[in-house]
Amino acid sequence: MIRFGLRLSLSGGREAAIRLVIIAGAVALGVGMLLTTLAGMNAVGKQNTRYAWLNTGTAPAAAGASADPMWWLLREDHYHGQSIGRVEVAPLGPDAPVPPGIPHLPGPGEYYVSPALGKLLRATPAEQLADRFPGHEIGTVGRAALPSPESLLIVIGRAPADLEHLGARQITQIMTTSPSDCSHGCYVGIRHDGMTIVLSVVAAALLFPVLIFIGTATRLAATRREQRFAAMRLVGATPRQISLISAVESAIAATAGTAVGFGLFFAFRPGLAAIPFTGDPFFTADLSLTVVDILAVALGIPLGAVVAAALALRRVQISPLGVSRRVTPKPPRAWRLIPLAAGLAELTWFIGRRPETTNGQITAYISGFVLILVGLVMAGPWLTIAGARVLAGRASRPATLIAGRRLSDNPQAGFRSVSGLIVALFVTSVATGTITTFVANRGAPRTDSVAATSLSKTFWPEEGPAPTADQIPSGLSAIPGVRSVTVVHANSGRKLGVGGQRGDARDWPGLVTCAELDRLKLFGNCPAGGQVAVVPSDLIGMRAFDLTNDTYVWGAAVGVVAADVDRQPVLSVVVDTTSRSAFEQARTMLINAFPQGRFPSSVGEWESNNAQQLIQFQQLANVIMLASLPIAGCSLAVSVAGGLSDRKRPFSMLRLTGVQLRTLRRVVALETVVPLLVVSAVAIGMGFLASYLFLRAQLDYTLLPPDGSFYLMVGGGLAVSLGIIASTLPLLRRITGPETARNE
């Protein structure tokens, strides 16, 4: 029977060959996406492991360590918004531990750089970047120490006395524990669990429409196959033999699709590695598969196809005549809307009642989103029949009436082929609405705002004594492109500011005279009659997100006059610039003048990191939508082709009775387009509504409309899907001729 099944599959004519190719293609898509997801999760773990050594400063002292101690200091620097990891080391003996990626520790005046940073140093004027690093390059940091090909890292050798003065820590071992497993306060690395959840959601959103595609493809010409199998039963074939033949057909297509899927994964792996899922691209080798992954996919997919084939033949297994006993399924009821309503009600209830803990918030919101998504899938057939009844009730042409009645007869089948869109459009709409609103309210400031063009160096008490105003480099003002250099003094008594904008009465840590603010004209103003303003150390504070104008009013310091300000310790120096070159040159000068503590930076750089992560999540959501819409279109096309094949005789009879071909084409188009558009509209609407409820509950933000790119992507994806559907309509002419009615 296996040989007979192979013969039916491979020599069954054009129809069997087309079905085999379509199923194999659908399986190949699913396998490729599944392998990409598994490899992506493995890559996150590998990338995170290479972050481990950067957390060496948090490692506990090694018990009975034989290595010599070493001074260790890790700090973050920036260049043009890019983060630079700066590691400074000073061994206290010949047996000090050596970080990965370098052959030996650099001596004073020597350093190793990552390939990306080395390239940047060679392309950048020294006064903007290279002058920050004392000494000269002696080698390159190897891949073993680089989380990403684009990582900017430098390992600098210093004298022990210098690092001790800078607040370094003595260590006796290099951290090897992945940040995801670290229990010592590791702060460099990826939140592995969170990224795994994100990738899992992306995988589910991509796989769901592919699974629908596979299911639709396996039902291609299902009626004819079931009739053929029923005929075999009538001539003596046993249920076991029928199951074996069906399993062989399914296994051939699934095995071929699995092999092609592996080929697709390895062909596209270099391009996939360049996508910054975690904020940085992977090395190509990071996107690898374990033996368990390979075996699970290579064996599990064909086995699953066999099981699905067995389940699909339940009618034939029951009785040889079971395939001919078909009844109209019961129409879906309104109770299917209950999960959808429950999810919306849950998110609504948390407005004004936000859970206090992070875990509580995750549980509250994720469960609400899942309920809405499950509710959409469950409510899909009910929505389809509702749309079909409206279509049939308002029908003025035969095609509209026939399409509406057919959808009403079996709304589950009409919805099934487009259900893959639910996940894609819902996830994309939620992500787009949430991220667009968050970035607009809390994202990186405008590149031309003072929050992005100014940088500050703050002298916190725990980092050592603050300099005097005379020690601020006079060369800062001489840099071409520097607009102003401002010294902010400490608000030692934490004087309260009064009369500020929107009742601002914060006890900011800094003081600046109102005359100085008037001179600067970019950092806000004092209230009328004030002499001294209470300000943050960077002269920006939370107003970084409200810089549509520069009329912000700081609170006036109570009981402080202008003459008292210069007698207070220096808190920070703020440099405002008009160009990126001046910005980086001023940063280099401040780093060299004040090497202790955290390096100078701008508010814009800190906030752009958060905004960039959100934007990357948005890009993932866009990938979901752009990939899912054409796949859903393919599912519809296969569904249309299968439906046409199963209805060749009825359509042929209609043509014989005088129904025009364009009327039949209009029937088929309406049967597919109505579910597609209804599902798309409802999924997008529910996504934006869920996003609105989440933003109100968690952040008290009002949902902002997405930009035009979202609508272009949705419109383009739907246009592609409709084009795929239209490509199947020419089949009607070939399969509904008079010979079909005569022969069948």
Side-chain angles (χ1 to χ4, degrees):
M1 293 305 294
I2 294 178
R3 184 180 300 175
F4 182 59
L6 288 172
R7 184 176 179 181
L8 285 176
S9 301
L10 302 177
S11 304
R14 182 177 179 182
E15 182 180 277
I18 292 175
R19 180 176 178 275
L20 185 65
V21 169
I22 291 176
I23 295 176
V27 172
L29 279 175
V31 169
M33 291 182 179
L34 180 59
L35 293 177
T36 299
T37 302
L38 294 173
M41 293 179 180
N42 295 336
V44 171
K46 291 184 177 181
Q47 190 178 72
N48 216 20
T49 299
R50 291 195 297 273
Y51 275 112
W53 72 280
L54 294 172
N55 291 296
T56 292
T58 67
S66 59
D68 292 323
M70 175 175 65
W71 289 107
W72 174 279
L73 181 61
L74 170 68
R75 289 178 290 179
E76 183 181 24
D77 197 356
H78 289 87
Y79 178 80
H80 282 200
Q82 301 178 82
S83 177
I84 301 174
R86 175 168 168 159
V87 179
E88 297 174 82
V89 296
L92 298 178
D95 295 325
V98 179
I102 58 176
H104 57 80
L105 291 172
E110 299 174 340
Y111 57 75
Y112 294 93
V113 295
S114 65
L117 181 56
K119 182 179 179 180
L120 186 61
L121 287 171
R122 291 187 289 273
T124 305
E127 66 272 11
Q128 296 182 31
L129 184 60
D131 288 349
R132 305 177 194 177
F133 311 127
H136 61 280
E137 179 183 340
I138 62 169
T140 301
V141 178
R143 179 179 294 189
L146 299 178
S148 165
E150 296 183 3
S151 295
L152 302 179
L153 287 171
I154 184 168
V155 182
I156 304 173
R158 301 292 294 265
D162 292 340
L163 282 190
E164 184 177 8
H165 174 70
L166 294 176
R169 179 184 176 185
Q170 282 194 21
I171 57 98
T172 56
Q173 64 175 340
I174 300 297
M175 175 75 85
T176 57
T177 304
S178 173
S180 58
D181 301 322
C182 176
S183 59
H184 309 295
C186 297
Y187 55 90
V188 180
I190 305 167
R191 295 182 61 184
H192 184 269
D193 293 340
M195 187 55 61
T196 299
I197 291 174
V198 170
L199 290 177
S200 299
V201 171
V202 171
L206 287 172
L207 284 174
F208 190 75
V210 173
L211 293 176
I212 297 297
F213 185 20
I214 294 173
T216 304
T218 57
R219 284 188 291 272
L220 189 62
T223 301
R224 293 172 59 82
R225 291 176 64 243
E226 290 176 351
Q227 290 172 349
R228 183 180 65 190
F229 288 149
M232 291 180 185
R233 288 292 314 281
L234 287 172
V235 297
T238 65
R240 183 176 180 180
Q241 290 173 328
I242 296 298
S243 296
L244 186 58
I245 294 173
S246 176
V248 169
E249 291 182 335
S250 299
I252 291 174
T255 302
T258 300
V260 174
F262 272 93
L264 290 175
F265 166 72
F266 286 107
F268 288 99
R269 188 168 67 154
L272 293 170
I275 300 174
F277 290 109
T278 62
D280 294 300
F282 297 120
F283 289 104
T284 301
D286 289 343
L287 284 172
S288 60
L289 300 168
T290 66
V291 175
V292 174
D293 295 335
I294 294 173
L295 292 177
V297 175
L299 300 179
I301 297 298
L303 181 61
V306 170
V307 173
L311 294 175
L313 291 176
R314 284 174 296 177
R315 285 194 298 266
V316 179
Q317 300 286 9
I318 294 171
S319 166
L321 300 178
V323 69
S324 64
R325 294 198 297 266
R326 300 177 183 272
V327 295
T328 301
K330 294 181 179 179
R333 302 298 183 186
W335 64 263
R336 289 173 172 266
L337 297 174
I338 293 176
L340 179 61
L344 294 173
E346 180 178 348
L347 292 181
T348 302
W349 190 85
F350 283 107
I351 296 178
R353 302 180 181 90
R354 185 180 68 180
E356 295 296 330
T357 64
T358 300
N359 289 336
Q361 293 168 7
I362 292 175
T363 301
Y365 301 133
I366 292 297
S367 61
F369 287 135
V370 170
L371 268 176
I372 294 173
L373 186 54
V374 171
L376 283 171
V377 174
M378 292 184 64
W382 186 89
L383 295 171
T384 300
I385 197 172
R389 287 171 176 170
V390 171
L391 186 68
R394 296 179 177 273
S396 59
R397 295 184 178 183
T400 308
L401 180 61
I402 295 173
R405 292 297 299 272
R406 178 167 171 80
L407 284 175
S408 298
D409 183 63
N410 192 0
Q412 288 86 351
F415 170 74
R416 188 185 299 122
S417 58
V418 297
S419 57
L421 283 174
I422 286 286
V423 175
L425 290 177
F426 178 76
V427 170
T428 303
S429 300
V430 170
T432 300
T434 302
I435 293 171
T436 299
T437 303
F438 187 90
V439 170
N441 285 273
R442 291 293 304 273
R446 302 189 324 264
T447 56
D448 61 343
S449 74
V450 69
T453 62
S454 65
L455 75 157
S456 62
K457 166 64 179 177
T458 302
F459 307 100
W460 301 110
E462 61 270 19
E463 296 173 353
T468 63
D470 295 338
Q471 293 174 308
I472 305 298
S474 58
L476 285 171
S477 301
I479 296 174
V482 168
R483 186 158 39 197
S484 64
V485 179
T486 305
V487 176
V488 179
H489 293 267
N491 183 7
S492 302
R494 282 290 185 170
K495 302 294 185 181
L496 198 65
V498 296
Q501 187 160 324
R502 293 190 294 272
D504 190 350
R506 303 182 184 219
D507 56 341
W508 291 110
L511 297 174
V512 67
T513 64
C514 295
E516 179 70 1
L517 287 178
D518 291 341
R519 181 184 70 84
L520 297 173
K521 298 181 180 178
L522 293 172
F523 292 97
N525 303 285
C526 285
Q531 295 188 46
V532 178
V534 177
V535 295
S537 61
D538 53 17
L539 293 178
I540 303 294
M542 294 301 296
R543 66 183 286 260
F545 314 108
D546 187 25
L547 289 175
T548 53
N549 56 63
D550 296 304
T551 60
Y552 191 90
V553 179
W554 300 105
V558 178
V560 181
V561 296
D564 296 334
V565 173
D566 289 340
R567 291 194 286 267
Q568 302 300 318
V570 172
L571 174 65
S572 64
V573 56
V574 180
V575 181
D576 188 38
T577 63
T578 59
S579 67
R580 296 303 302 176
S581 59
F583 186 97
E584 296 300 342
Q585 191 172 345
R587 191 195 324 252
T588 300
M589 188 174 293
L590 285 171
I591 289 175
N592 291 334
F594 309 110
Q596 75 279 8
R598 282 165 282 187
F599 292 134
S601 62
S602 70
V603 174
E605 286 172 331
W606 287 105
E607 296 304 326
S608 66
N609 291 336
N610 296 330
Q612 185 62 32
Q613 189 72 48
L614 290 172
I615 291 170
Q616 287 158 0
F617 288 154
Q618 177 65 66
Q619 291 171 346
L620 289 178
N622 293 342
V623 168
I624 293 172
M625 182 170 62
L626 291 175
S628 299
L629 285 172
I631 292 172
C634 291
S635 298
L636 276 172
V638 172
S639 178
V640 171
L644 291 177
S645 177
D646 291 340
R647 291 184 288 165
K648 288 192 294 185
R649 182 175 174 80
F651 278 164
S652 298
M653 297 299 293
L654 285 173
R655 287 194 65 187
L656 287 175
T657 59
V659 176
Q660 296 183 354
L661 185 62
R662 65 171 179 267
T663 301
L664 295 180
R665 286 175 175 169
R666 191 176 295 118
V667 169
V668 174
L670 288 172
E671 288 177 0
T672 52
V673 170
V674 168
L676 176 66
L677 296 182
V678 169
V679 166
S680 299
V682 172
I684 292 172
M686 288 297 103
F688 284 137
L689 178 57
S691 175
Y692 166 78
L693 296 174
F694 166 74
L695 289 168
R696 285 294 309 277
Q698 178 68 10
L699 302 169
D700 197 25
Y701 290 162
T702 299
L703 178 68
L704 298 178
D707 56 26
S709 61
F710 172 79
Y711 301 104
L712 287 175
M713 281 189 295
V714 172
L718 289 175
V720 170
S721 299
L722 294 175
I724 294 173
I725 296 169
S727 68
T728 65
L729 297 181
L731 286 172
L732 271 172
R733 180 182 294 276
R734 294 201 299 267
I735 68 175
T736 59
E739 67 278 1
T740 302
R742 181 178 65 248
N743 292 335
E744 297 191 6

